[in-house]
Amino acid sequence: MTPAIEIRNLAKRFNVKQGFFGKPREVRAVDGVNLRLEEGATLGIVGESGCGKSTLAKLILGLLAPTEGDVLVAGQSLGALDRRARARLIQPVFQDPFSSLNPRRRVVDVVAMPLVAQGGLSGAEIRAQSLAMLERVGISAEMAGRYPAQLSGGQRQRVAIARALVLRPRILLCDEPTSALDVSVQAQILNLLAELRRDMGITTLFISHNLAVVEHVADAVAVMYLGRFVEYAPAKELFAAPRHPYTRALLASVLTPEPGLGVPDVGLGDAMPDPSNIPPGCRFHPRCPVAIARCSTEAPPLVGGAECHLLTP
Amino acid sequence: MSLLEVRDLHVRFGQTAAVRGADIVVERGETHCIVGESGCGKSVTSLAVMGLLAKGAERRAARMAFDGIDLLPMNERALSRLRGDRIAMIFQEPMTSLNPAYTVGSQMAEVRTRHKGGTRRAALDRAEELLGRVGITAPGLRLGQFPHQLSGGLRQRVMIAMALMNDPELLIADEPTTALDVTIQAQILRLLAQLQAELGLGLMLITHDLGVVARVATRVSVMYAGQVVETATTAELFANPRHPYTRGLLDCLPVPGKLPPGSQLGTIPGMVPKLTEGFRGCGFRSRCAYAQPACEADIPLYGTTHLSRCVLSA
């Protein structure tokens, strides 16, 4: 079966000049990502700021052209498609519902925009479909006539979800969809997304720094570090038995609401990852609490979903 | 005598009541967390204690005392002698709270010389020692750097070191790790807990994150719609939450191991009420399953050690 989305050796490099006379430096934001995701599955992508999550999201959405590699949605290469065709296949929901909705358009018109851009439907049909989708995400027809500024953060995120789903795309890409929301609102949005995924059978990429949320929603999880997936495994396995030392550190630093446990010692030191200066060998070795000599010279092989020397037999 | 005692604090901005009944007591050597969602008044409460409210804000309280010293009648001059000295504060955004035009060293030294006098050289030595203490490598080098040359985690460490320059007795930290990655958050919170234990500080920590609360707090106060609605020791609050809002909030969290992945999360229906002039009674009643006519009147905090502002706790 053709996977819903396939990513082959994807890379994106930027040339950044430092200062007026500075030498241009190469930032390897995404550095060789591979992925296959079956129809209807939800993949969580986790990692710290600067690991390349957002660049990866932009590549998958076709908002950036890759330096190398390819993204295939339902067997079609994104690079070979025009914007309209791409929009029918994949749609985003972004973090900030305050800046991702046009403040000067009514909610119903915000949701109608993708249908208008596709063409081929009458005004009445477009309105009917937009209102139906808004209803589906819990926004009443009365609220649909308001402007985004008149809605709460949670309601705006519902509108953003309606806009993403109104074209019935194959893939929904959520980039930190609940990070700007309060926990009570976050729960509502996560429940809504779960319901929509079930009903519409939509394949979802869920980018988040919140591991508790990812564990709750994802079937599979990719852990990203300096532009690569250092571990990629079914969610159950990854959370029960993380293999890569970085995954273990990330999981250890999650503060679950259980009193009496204190704050764990993550043991990562303060060497910050820098995508313009990726260490030789294993890119995680300067922060790795269990690194051995080989880690600083040789790139680790991929063993059972994780890239780590310690996992080689 | 408590280190910080705030009784029945009210803050108004024009027609809006931002805080309408906050009671917070911080003892020496304890971490008191104030938790709540955006707009609940938790940051305004901390700013009111420090006398840092924006112009036009009206503040009144039955009592507000630091180490027995009444803060209410103090003028700006007297307050600024206390701030940065016996009471220190750390904010969420280390980028905006450090001055981009001065080196780390000169900002830190100023805090010392301004309150304690002494030479700049001595102050810089102390700054270097404290930077080392908060886990910054090559502290001597960092003194000469500007804030933009540091990562977010390092900047927050600088803020903490700066707050410790004059051996404060009370440290108020407003969302100190919200802008940071989870790995860095764990490091910073561990550091704060360590320093607090070593120095015997009273720490008032403001956060929206119940995970942070569970792991670092001695006592917790939950705020909703401008009021402290529940106060208890951390173990007691998580094991036996009394206020319906606290219970609702705990149900919203995806807790690995307790809730199967993909299952429905608890939610709190409805929205926070507008706190306009004349709003009385429980702010949660429009969203509460147990609301009754008595909720429309002013409700006191019931209880002796585990306090709850709910008619059901009467």
Side-chain angles (χ1 to χ4, degrees), chain A residues 95-145:
Chain A
Q95 173 174 359
D96 186 359
F98 294 83
S99 62
S100 61
L101 303 178
N102 187 336
R104 304 182 65 172
R105 284 184 177 273
R106 291 176 195 277
V107 162
V108 63
D109 298 323
V110 167
V111 174
M113 204 58 199
L115 293 169
V116 173
Q118 291 291 331
L121 284 177
S122 74
E125 278 174 300
I126 288 177
R127 194 177 158 79
Q129 284 193 22
S130 308
L131 287 174
M133 188 46 81
L134 279 166
E135 175 90 55
R136 186 75 196 73
V137 300
I139 299 287
S140 65
E142 182 246 330
M143 262 193 277

Side-chain angles (χ1 to χ4, degrees), chain B residues 3 26-31 66 86 133 164 167-171 191-204 218:
Chain B
L3 184 59
V26 183
E27 304 292 346
R28 283 177 189 75
E30 79 164 12
T31 300
F66 167 74
R86 296 182 69 191
R133 182 122 181 222
L164 299 176
D167 296 313
E169 292 149 69
L170 175 65
L171 183 59
L191 170 69
L192 273 176
Q194 246 168 34
L195 289 168
Q196 193 233 24
E198 277 170 35
L199 306 173
L201 297 173
L203 176 60
M204 179 164 135
T218 329

Side-chain angles (χ1 to χ4, degrees), chain B residues 154-198:
Chain B
L154 277 180
R155 272 183 226 136
Q156 201 55 292
R157 282 171 201 248
V158 168
M159 285 299 296
I160 294 172
M162 192 187 281
L164 299 176
M165 280 298 278
N166 294 320
D167 296 313
E169 292 149 69
L170 175 65
L171 183 59
I172 300 179
D174 188 356
E175 304 269 9
T177 58
T178 304
L180 304 173
D181 281 312
V182 283
T183 53
I184 314 296
Q185 162 168 290
Q187 290 174 354
I188 297 284
L189 289 175
R190 222 178 132 75
L191 170 69
L192 273 176
Q194 246 168 34
L195 289 168
Q196 193 233 24
E198 277 170 35

Side-chain angles (χ1 to χ4, degrees), chain B residues 106-127:
Chain B
S106 73
Q107 298 184 50
M108 290 184 72
E110 189 196 349
V111 175
R112 181 77 182 180
T113 51
R114 182 157 193 155
H115 288 285
K116 305 276 195 223
T119 64
R120 188 180 150 85
R121 187 63 253 164
L124 282 171
D125 286 344
R126 179 165 174 80

Side-chain angles (χ1 to χ4, degrees), chain A residues 48-49 182 184 191 216 262-263, chain B residues 37-38 181 183 215 262 265:
Chain A
E48 293 171 283
S49 38
D182 279 320
S184 65
N191 285 342
H216 189 73
V263 185
Chain B
E37 298 182 283
S38 27
D181 281 312
T183 53
R215 302 306 190 90
L265 295 167

Side-chain angles (χ1 to χ4, degrees), chain A residues 2-283:
Chain A
T2 324
I5 183 164
E6 186 174 3
I7 295 177
R8 289 182 191 156
N9 200 25
L10 194 66
K12 180 70 189 176
R13 294 187 280 271
F14 299 99
N15 280 311
V16 181
K17 228 173 137 173
Q18 267 212 325
F20 192 68
F21 297 106
K23 250 199 255 164
R25 291 193 310 166
E26 192 181 63
V27 174
R28 289 190 274 162
V30 172
D31 199 22
V33 163
N34 291 288
L35 168 76
R36 273 173 78 94
L37 196 62
E38 300 307 325
E39 194 80 50
T42 297
L43 173 74
I45 301 174
V46 299
E48 293 171 283
S49 38
C51 74
K53 300 189 296 260
S54 294
T55 304
L56 180 65
K58 285 181 188 153
L59 290 169
I60 293 173
L61 289 169
L63 297 176
L64 279 176
T67 312
E68 263 171 47
D70 205 358
V71 179
L72 290 90
V73 176
Q76 295 166 278
S77 168
L78 277 190
L81 297 173
D82 66 7
R83 271 179 69 178
R84 261 183 229 164
R86 231 163 37 211
R88 283 194 301 271
L89 288 174
I90 182 157
Q91 283 285 330
V93 174
F94 292 112
Q95 173 174 359
D96 186 359
F98 294 83
S99 62
S100 61
L101 303 178
N102 187 336
R104 304 182 65 172
R105 284 184 177 273
R106 291 176 195 277
V107 162
V108 63
D109 298 323
V110 167
V111 174
M113 204 58 199
L115 293 169
V116 173
Q118 291 291 331
L121 284 177
S122 74
E125 278 174 300
I126 288 177
R127 194 177 158 79
Q129 284 193 22
S130 308
L131 287 174
M133 188 46 81
L134 279 166
E135 175 90 55
R136 186 75 196 73
V137 300
I139 299 287
S140 65
E142 182 246 330
M143 262 193 277
R146 297 192 197 161
Y147 289 93
Q150 296 169 287
L151 305 184
S152 70
Q155 287 167 340
R156 280 185 236 203
Q157 205 57 307
R158 286 173 192 267
V159 172
I161 292 169
R163 175 179 60 186
L165 295 181
V166 76
L167 289 179
R168 313 248 158 200
R170 303 285 288 268
I171 315 262
L172 183 66
L173 186 145
C174 303
D175 190 356
E176 303 272 10
T178 61
S179 304
L181 306 176
D182 279 320
V183 281
S184 65
V185 183
Q186 163 174 290
Q188 294 170 13
I189 297 295
L190 291 177
N191 285 342
L192 173 67
L193 281 171
E195 205 182 295
L196 292 168
R197 277 199 313 268
R198 256 197 314 274
D199 296 354
M200 300 173 70
I202 195 163
T203 311
T204 310
L205 298 172
F206 195 100
I207 298 176
S208 179
H209 70 280
N210 187 330
L211 283 114
V213 167
V214 167
E215 179 165 5
H216 189 73
V217 303
D219 305 311
V221 180
V223 179
M224 205 167 175
Y225 191 79
L226 280 178
R228 276 184 90 83
F229 288 171
V230 293
E231 184 163 1
Y232 178 34
K236 257 192 197 144
E237 278 175 35
L238 186 121
F239 286 103
R243 308 187 71 206
H244 196 282
Y246 178 61
T247 311
R248 287 206 293 269
L250 264 188
L251 291 184
S253 43
V254 177
L255 303 178
T256 52
E258 298 167 280
L261 295 182
V263 185
D265 183 4
V266 184
L268 284 186
D270 57 359
M272 280 299 103
D274 176 4
S276 70
N277 184 16
I278 293 182
C282 170
R283 57 197 63 216

